[in-house]
Structure formats: structure tokens, C-alpha cells
Amino acid sequence: MSLSARRVTLPAITPIVLQKRVIKVYSEDETSRALEVPSDITARDVCQLLILKNHYIDDHSWTLFEHLPHIGLERTIEDHELVIEVLSNWGMEEENKLYFRKNYAKYEFFKNPMYFFPEHMVSFATETNGEISPTQILQIFLSSSTYPEIHGFLHAKEQGKKSWKKIYFLLRRSGLYFSTKGTSKEPRHLQFFSEFGNSDIYVSLAGKKKHGAPTNYGFCFKPNKAGGPRDLKMLCAEEEQSRTCWVTAIRLLKYGMQLYQNYMHPYQGRSGCSSQSISPMRSISENSLVAMDFSGQKSRVIENPTEALSVAVEEGLAWRKKGCLRLGTHGSPTASSQSCATNMAIHRSQPWFHHKISREEAQRLIIQQGLVDGVFLVRDSQSNPKTFVLSMSHGQKIKHFQIIPVEDDGEMFHTLDDGHTRFTDLIQLVEFYQLNKGVLPCKLKHYCARIAL
């Protein structure tokens, strides 16, 4: 009995090759950078590439934005979203852009939920008893069985018309509804307005100008697939806190636990572009800096704010005198005055200083980078050319403080509190208020900068 060999042909295994595409990413100053990326790259991966290529500090606030100039809309691209999918929804003739910049408020609601969900806008299911803490609100949002209900008045743009109508809205897990009878929540009075499973939520950048909105706090639902302005469902809030609450709640209901995972594990990208071997570099936070005294044999932490204030002023005076003497040794009779002038202008090289921008532009930059407590910039004053202005965010509002020059015994100083605390230059002033809140509502935490790619 003979055995015959039998040839078995196995099917060929075709390796999966990811196609690559070139994308262009813009920065705040309109410089751009082209990147060749795989088709499954996430927004977080793109941010990580740009962070590494430009040697930026990664504090997890770098964000990719989708900018639609023709309809004046912009949104945060979530860290887990596939960038190529976002681009596939763009029309051929649309001049849309990807922007790379800071967004300190991206996950701030996980840290300070009380700022994002005002009591008068949030209600819960009838079976919920007792008071609900802000942390519990987030847990309810992330739960699949229960949900908080966001409610309040919004201006809605009537379909196919230029007019806006003020209506009472309710946000539920199944979508956004409005009441046809005042503030009634009865099912017979509720009409469906929009779902958010197949739509993205955008913030309006120029709602008054482009869409005739009654306020500047507009947002809208836009279908994922390409569509014209007729497909937009435009809404407008009365204030920034209200808009932030609606947009944050919609993001949480749309993505749920995925947002929490993005926040907790920022380096888990799909395409593997983000290296887990790179330890994250964090920016300086207000809790990581303390005032120290090194004058004795042992260093000590200065816990008394009054003592820290006086030490900072004394050190500033000593530093300035040393600087003037050091620069004055070059033999020039005006070296001392030149060094003083240098101290007064040294701030121009700092990333937080914005030369000759308006109050409105300062507010726009801070809003873009997140209304988180302590986001700030320093700018020239337009009303008084000899002074400066510190613009900062606190309590989801932007506040402006004038920095006034004062003269004492022929020497110039900067002050925020009518001369009680004096600084030789703006750098010393900013560094002091990063450590101590002083007369400010909070410490300076994140500077608002314009980067270049």
C-alpha cells in the first residue's frame, strides 16, 4: 500500500497596510505644519507628535480643534476621535482647518464639577433623595441607568428663518427637547429638537455677525456628514456659564466613560504614535510652588503670607540693585538708567505677554484656551500707554486688573494694589502672583500664549 503525498495550498495572508495621509495643522499665529500620519491616528496622537517635534511641555491640555470659518463654528476634537474621519466630513470647497493649542478646560469638569453644573440648571430623577454633590453629578452622567436633566431657557434659530425665539429646553439621555408650553415638562408638551449620536456640538465664534444671534454665547448641533447651513440647529445662551453647562453635559452624554478614560489615561492612543515610555512632563501648578527662606543654616517654608509678601519685595529690591550695579560697571555714565530701562522692558520676551492687543482680543484668547481659574495674560493698556493690564479667568468670568507704574526715590516699580506691593519688572510681578493670590481672586496658574509650529 503506497501513500501518496498531498500538496495543501494555504491561503496567502495579506498584511494590513495602513494608508498614510498628509494633514496640515495650524497654530494660534497661523503658522502651520504638515504631518504624514496613518489613517487610524487619533487627535491625541497628533497632539503628541506636535508636542515632541516642538519640544513643548505636555500638561495634558494640548488639544486639536476643528475650525469651520465659513459658518463661524469651532469644536474640540476629542482625544480618542480619528482625525481622518473628521477630515472626511469636510466638503471639497470648504476652507476648514485643524488648530493645535491649549484647552485648559477640556477635562476641568472632572476636577471642579461645581463650576460646570449650576444648581438652577440641573435636576434629577424623582427617585433621587437628598442633596447631590457635584462629584455625584458626574457619576450619574457616566452611569447608563440614571441621568441628570439639564434645563433652562435658550434662544433657538427658527428653521429656514433669520429670527430667534426664546424657548425652554430640556436635555435628556435620549436627546434635546423643548417645551411648547412655558416650562412644562409634561410629555405632551415636549418636542424633540436634536439627538447627539450622529451630530457634533460646536461653539459659535461670531454668532451675532454670521447668524444674527441675540448674544455671543452660541452653540449648535451639526450632523457628522457634510451638510449646508440649513442642517445646523443653532442655539444661544444668555451667559458663558450657561453655554458651558449645556456643551459639557452634551459631551458627557455623547461620549460617557470614554471621556473619563481620556482624562485618566491620556497616552493610550490607537495608532501607537504616542510613546508610553515617555514620562509626562507637567506644568507648574499652584500647589507645587512654595515660598522658601534660605537665609539661615537650614532652609524653611514661609507659611505666613504676610512674611512671604515682605520677603518677595525685599528680594526684588536687592535683585534690582545688583542688576543695576552689574550693568553699571561698563564705564557708561548712563549704565544704571539703561539697566533700569532694561528691567522695565524685559517682559516683552515672555510667552504670557501680548503686545498691544485689545481687551476684546484678550478675552477671546482666554476663552479659547479655557475659562479655568488662573488662566491669564499680560498686555499693554490701550487707555493708558504707560500702564499694563493683567487679564485673567476666575469663576468662568474674565477680569482685568491694571498694573500701574509708581516712582519712589527716582526708581520705577510696577504695582497691582496702589503701591502696597511693588515689583521691579513684570516678570517679578507675575512670579509673585503665581505663588500668592494677594489682591487677585486666585493665583495665576496657566499663561495664555500664542505658539508657533
Side-chain angles (χ1 to χ4, degrees), residues 65-66 68 73-78 81 154 171 176 193-204 218-224 232-235 243-255 259:
F65 289 83
E66 181 185 9
L68 313 178
L73 300 177
E74 186 174 87
R75 77 174 180 100
T76 296
I77 302 177
E78 304 296 352
E81 287 190 73
L154 290 169
L171 179 65
L176 185 65
F193 182 80
S194 179
E195 55 81 40
F196 34 81
N198 296 313
S199 299
D200 289 314
I201 186 76
Y202 289 79
V203 169
S204 178
F219 61 101
C220 85
F221 291 91
K222 179 182 177 296
N224 298 125
L232 303 178
K233 295 192 175 180
M234 307 289 299
L235 296 165
R243 175 170 71 172
T244 300
C245 179
W246 287 104
V247 173
T248 303
I250 292 165
R251 285 178 63 203
L252 279 166
L253 288 177
K254 181 176 171 67
Y255 297 109
L259 284 190

Side-chain angles (χ1 to χ4, degrees), residues 334-348:
T334 59
S336 179
S337 61
Q338 285 176 354
S339 109
C340 296
T342 302
N343 288 341
M344 299 298 281
I346 196 171
H347 57 269
R348 294 186 183 276

